[in-house]
Amino acid sequence: MKPVTKAIIPAAGMGTRFLPATKSMPKEMLPIIDKPVLQYVIEEAVASGIEDILIITGRGKRAIENHFDYAPELEVFLKEAGKGDLIDQVRGIGDQVRIFYIRQKEQRGLGDAIRIGRRHIGEEPFAVLLGDTIIDPIGDERPGLRQLIDAYEARQASVVAVHRVPREWVQRYGIVDGTPDPDYPDLYRLHQLVEKPAPEAAPSNLAIAGRYIFTPEIFACLDRTREGVGGEIQLTDAMNLLAQQQPMYALAWQARRYDIGNRVEYARCFIDYALRREDTREAVLAHLQARLGEMA
Ligand code: UTP
């Protein structure tokens, strides 16, 4: 069995739900307190054992490459300003892992973005982490992606992360039609994915959560996938093709998922992290309590 050591992070989308901020700034670089979203995503990958990351970028995404590169002028400035302690922090950001970049020239969907990584991945299983989604594991010490890799190693098959959503929300997501695996907690054998079903027609309330492990056969399935809505190659269509030809699984984890391309989820994520960090918790909590008091 080949281990999962490579990951693709698609980060080339236009981020239209977050305009005007995304006119000149990638949404993957929006900060949660003082760290861009993409840095959290990369830290999750590294903590899960990933050694090689391919980021799919596009026009207007240079800030991503700059963030994970060295910044000699900034380092000189920090040194002269007597803030040498910050140098290691900014220098080490891109040092934990090998990072590569490829541009997606036209935004033809998530499936197309992943297909661009084919040569880089070769004949190996690999992870996909959406660059605009932060996963916060709750009730499990393992990072989100590690939980998926463990399930991949147990079943040697593609695994997609899913989370439970209220029934009335299923219309917003790709939903899993599957049966529980009797020998692996929270794992489902995946029969098919249903894109944005009506609540009464939904096979479950398990929604795709932004992390995947794929066998390399997904690339041939992406080749066979026709353009869907808006001329986009949908990843879920390719996953349905893969599920017809080899076993696939869905892991229903407990983790919190923040799709920061969505304004409300971005705000929730910011508040949750501000309440968790020692240097911000007390002041932010006092502020929220005061605001809530005013509203009561
Ligand atoms: P989204 O569908 O959330 O991104 O894709 P988007 O298209 O930028 O969003 P809106 O609807 O316009 O606001 C999930 C991830 O896939 C990447 C995005 O950058 C995001 O990290 N993506 C999406 C690509 O890399 N290429 C694409 O063509 C589409």
Side-chain angles (χ1 to χ4, degrees), residues 90-253:
V90 296
R91 200 178 170 79
I93 290 170
D95 280 353
Q96 308 157 308
V97 65
R98 287 193 301 271
I99 303 179
F100 301 85
Y101 303 90
I102 298 187
R103 279 196 181 197
Q104 184 187 29
K105 292 184 186 133
E106 286 177 298
Q107 277 53 55
R108 295 182 58 216
L110 180 56
D112 180 61
I114 292 169
R115 195 167 54 173
I116 290 172
R118 177 189 228 140
R119 275 187 170 246
H120 187 90
I121 297 296
E123 291 301 314
E124 290 180 33
F126 65 101
V128 172
L129 303 95
L130 297 192
D132 65 350
T133 299
I134 290 183
I135 299 295
D136 179 17
I138 40 174
D140 196 320
E141 310 240 298
R142 295 169 298 165
L145 187 67
R146 186 67 238 173
Q147 298 179 34
L148 274 196
I149 294 177
D150 289 345
Y152 163 81
E153 287 175 355
R155 289 290 171 274
Q156 300 191 27
S158 297
V159 193
V160 51
V162 292
H163 65 137
R164 290 182 197 285
V165 296
R167 272 267 159 189
E168 58 274 22
W169 289 8
V170 292
Q171 288 190 69
R172 307 180 196 172
Y173 297 99
I175 298 293
V176 165
D177 175 3
T179 41
D181 182 310
D183 304 317
Y184 199 108
D186 302 323
L187 197 66
Y188 291 76
R189 175 74 190 259
L190 190 154
H191 306 308
Q192 63 164 342
L193 293 164
V194 186
E195 198 54 64
K196 303 186 174 73
E200 56 283 6
S204 74
N205 65 342
L206 299 171
I208 296 185
R211 300 288 185 266
Y212 316 77
I213 307 291
F214 289 121
T215 55
E217 287 77 23
I218 190 71
F219 291 116
C221 296
L222 284 165
D223 284 345
R224 283 166 52 207
T225 302
R226 302 243 166 81
E227 290 180 3
V229 188
E232 296 201 341
I233 307 285
Q234 301 290 345
L235 178 61
T236 45
D237 291 346
M239 287 168 68
N240 276 332
L241 291 176
L242 188 64
Q244 283 169 19
Q245 75 188 51
Q246 55 179 239
M248 268 188 82
Y249 292 86
L251 181 69
W253 62 19

Side-chain angles (χ1 to χ4, degrees), residues 75-94:
E75 287 177 22
V76 169
F77 174 82
L78 290 173
K79 201 169 173 195
E80 285 173 0
K83 298 182 176 179
D85 50 321
L86 289 174
I87 292 178
D88 285 348
Q89 243 187 64
V90 296
R91 200 178 170 79
I93 290 170

Side-chain angles (χ1 to χ4, degrees), residues 45-92:
V46 172
S48 302
I50 294 296
E51 296 166 3
D52 175 306
I53 292 175
L54 177 68
I55 303 180
I56 311 297
T57 66
R59 281 183 301 284
K61 300 270 182 174
R62 288 301 276 276
I64 293 177
E65 290 167 41
N66 290 340
H67 184 72
F68 294 99
D69 197 356
Y70 291 151
E73 282 172 24
L74 175 63
E75 287 177 22
V76 169
F77 174 82
L78 290 173
K79 201 169 173 195
E80 285 173 0
K83 298 182 176 179
D85 50 321
L86 289 174
I87 292 178
D88 285 348
Q89 243 187 64
V90 296
R91 200 178 170 79

